[in-house]
């Protein structure tokens, strides 16, 4: 991850770093920003902990009007997992009465590689905030997502270099009747991404999330197998946008996708960061673009050391 990947908005609101020493008049209104709260793990003791920074945030803005919260760096990634900041936020649920969106782990490469971010049970946020509509998570290490019931969640994003199969199964076993947007970075086995295509069966059947219209199954070393499974998956009929980007997709996966059910009802198909040949790129475009489907085939990659399919790589791993 790089600075370009730092969250710049959440819930349509611009991301703003909370600064304890800022003049009150220079701060946006509480409901006009997605507030990022973080600390410098290399700062002095006087800088305080994340809990102290969050307490200062609650005093400086009107917490009852805060709609979007971004949990940035909460300390050294190997010393505290995300249960620490999540617990602090949950404890303030009675004050954060308008909270609709939370993103956990907005760290970039200079702070921690994505697979160094120590996560935890993020469903504690869903339990504490029944009106939450958006939940985002960066990092799959020790991520827990036990099956949960939540009536308001519309968008769930999990960015990882390796998504544990048990967490994936927890997501897919959850009751999320309002879910419209699901974006999962599955990652690689070397960094904990041990899910296999059969684990996706409840999702691909189309019966799990009836309102789903965006599906991202991204950043996977199994991208060809996923594309083939998606090509015949009932869920595709209900989608408007499909994202299979950032993985190891090659000609074989793209062909299986095209040879499956029609995709011409989609408004967009994102395949960027791929290993397609130019003829297959043309085939994809010719099959879909005349029907009004926006196709992203940017960032064609070459396998490492001319190894062929064995040298393909995902966009994000460590």
């Amino acid at each position: 991850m790089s600075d370009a990947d730092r969250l710049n908005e959440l819930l349509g609101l611009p991301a703003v770093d909370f600064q304890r020493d800022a003049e009150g008049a220079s701060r946006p209104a509480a409901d006009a920003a997605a507030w990022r709260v973080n600390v410098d793990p290399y700062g002095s003791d006087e800088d305080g902990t994340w809990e102290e920074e969050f307490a200062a945030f609650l005093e400086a803005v009107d917490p009852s009007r805060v709609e979007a919260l971004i949990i940035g760096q909460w300390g050294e990634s190997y010393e505290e997992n995300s249960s620490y900041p999540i617990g602090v936020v949950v404890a303030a649920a009675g004050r954060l009465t308008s909270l609709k969106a939370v993103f956990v782990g907005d760290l970039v490469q200079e702070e921690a590689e994505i697979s160094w971010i120590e996560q935890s049970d993020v469903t504690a946020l869903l339990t504490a905030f029944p009106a939450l509509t958006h939940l985002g998570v960066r990092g799959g290490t020790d991520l827990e997502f036990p099956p949960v019931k939540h009536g308001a969640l519309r968008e769930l994003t999990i960015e990882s270099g390796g998504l544990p199969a048990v967490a994936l199964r927890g997501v897919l076993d959850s009751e999320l009747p309002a879910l419209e947007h699901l974006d999962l970075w599955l990652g690689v086995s070397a960094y904990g991404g041990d899910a296999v295509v059969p684990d996706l069966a409840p999702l691909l059947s189309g019966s799990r999330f009836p309102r789903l219209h965006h599906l991202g199954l991204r950043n996977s070393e199994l991208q060809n197998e996923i594309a083939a499974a998606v090509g015949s998956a009932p869920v595709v009929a209900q989608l408007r946008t499909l994202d299979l980007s950032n993985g190891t997709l090659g000609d074989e996966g793209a062909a299986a996708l095209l040879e499956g059910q029609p995709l011409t009802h989609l408004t967009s198909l994102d395949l960027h960061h791929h290993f397609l040949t130019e003829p297959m790129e043309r085939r994809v475009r010719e099959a879909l673009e005349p029907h009004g489907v926006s196709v992203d085939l940017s960032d064609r990659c070459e396998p490492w050391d001319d190894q062929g399919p064995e040298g393909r790589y995902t966009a994000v791993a460590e």
Side-chain angles (χ1 to χ4, degrees):
M1 309 293 287
S2 68
D3 273 328
D5 299 306
R6 194 183 297 281
L7 219 63
N8 55 35
E9 64 90 22
L10 181 63
L11 202 68
L13 299 170
V16 173
D17 289 303
F18 170 70
Q19 297 182 0
R20 201 187 304 196
D21 57 357
E23 294 291 335
S26 66
R27 289 194 184 101
D31 57 359
W35 294 97
R36 183 187 292 111
V37 180
N38 49 192
V39 296
D40 181 357
Y42 307 109
S44 67
D45 291 340
E46 296 177 357
D47 291 337
T49 64
W50 195 90
E51 184 174 6
E52 291 168 335
E53 192 72 6
F54 190 70
F57 165 70
L58 293 178
E59 293 304 316
V61 304
D62 180 356
S64 69
R65 294 176 57 196
V66 172
E67 296 185 358
L69 176 66
I70 301 169
I71 298 175
Q73 182 132 18
W74 56 83
E76 285 285 11
S77 59
Y78 56 82
E79 290 181 347
E80 296 271 11
N81 66 25
S82 66
S83 65
Y84 164 48
I86 288 174
V88 172
V89 173
V90 166
R95 301 177 69 185
L96 294 163
T97 52
S98 296
L99 194 64
K100 298 176 183 175
V102 181
F103 189 95
V104 184
D106 187 27
L107 281 68
V108 294
Q109 190 173 34
E110 290 75 13
E111 298 166 322
E113 299 284 357
I114 193 170
S115 294
W116 297 0
I117 302 172
E118 299 283 343
Q119 285 293 347
S120 62
D121 181 356
V122 296
T123 64
L125 290 162
L126 296 174
T127 301
F129 296 97
L132 208 68
T133 60
H134 292 63
L135 177 62
V137 181
R138 180 171 295 160
T141 300
D142 293 330
L143 176 68
E144 296 178 30
F145 203 107
V148 65
K149 296 181 181 180
H150 195 278
L153 192 69
R154 298 202 309 265
E155 182 169 321
L156 175 62
T157 298
I158 302 177
E159 304 174 355
S160 81
L163 180 60
V166 65
L168 172 64
R169 290 194 288 267
V171 170
L172 302 187
D173 286 341
S174 293
E175 293 185 26
L176 306 171
L179 193 68
E180 300 173 352
H181 181 116
L182 179 62
D183 195 9
L184 301 173
W185 298 19
L186 299 172
V188 302
S189 57
Y191 288 98
D194 56 350
V196 291
V197 172
D199 291 319
L200 298 171
L203 170 64
L204 299 181
S205 72
S207 60
R208 204 73 202 96
F209 307 122
R211 297 184 63 179
L212 195 72
H213 62 71
H214 170 87
L215 177 59
L217 295 172
R218 312 171 57 194
N219 195 55
S220 176
E221 63 187 350
L222 304 177
Q223 208 71 58
N224 285 311
E225 293 92 329
I226 290 170
V230 168
S232 60
V235 72
V236 173
Q238 73 189 62
L239 300 179
R240 296 201 295 267
T241 53
L242 175 62
D243 190 340
L244 302 177
S245 66
N246 279 1
T248 58
L249 187 71
D251 283 7
E252 57 272 44
L257 186 64
L258 291 180
E259 290 162 6
Q261 64 196 293
L263 302 174
T264 52
H265 66 288
L266 296 175
T267 59
S268 70
L269 173 65
D270 191 343
L271 302 179
H272 83 270
H273 181 98
H274 62 85
F275 294 83
L276 276 59
T277 60
E278 289 187 27
M280 181 55 73
E281 283 189 10
R282 287 195 298 272
R283 181 179 167 190
V284 172
R285 292 190 186 281
E286 290 169 358
L288 299 176
E289 289 183 338
H291 297 276
V293 183
S294 174
V295 179
D296 187 348
L297 285 165
S298 60
D299 192 17
R300 183 197 304 133
C301 304
E302 296 294 334
W304 283 319
D305 300 326
D306 298 321
Q307 294 180 32
E310 295 301 316
R312 295 174 185 170
Y313 49 89
T314 61
V316 177
E318 185 180 11

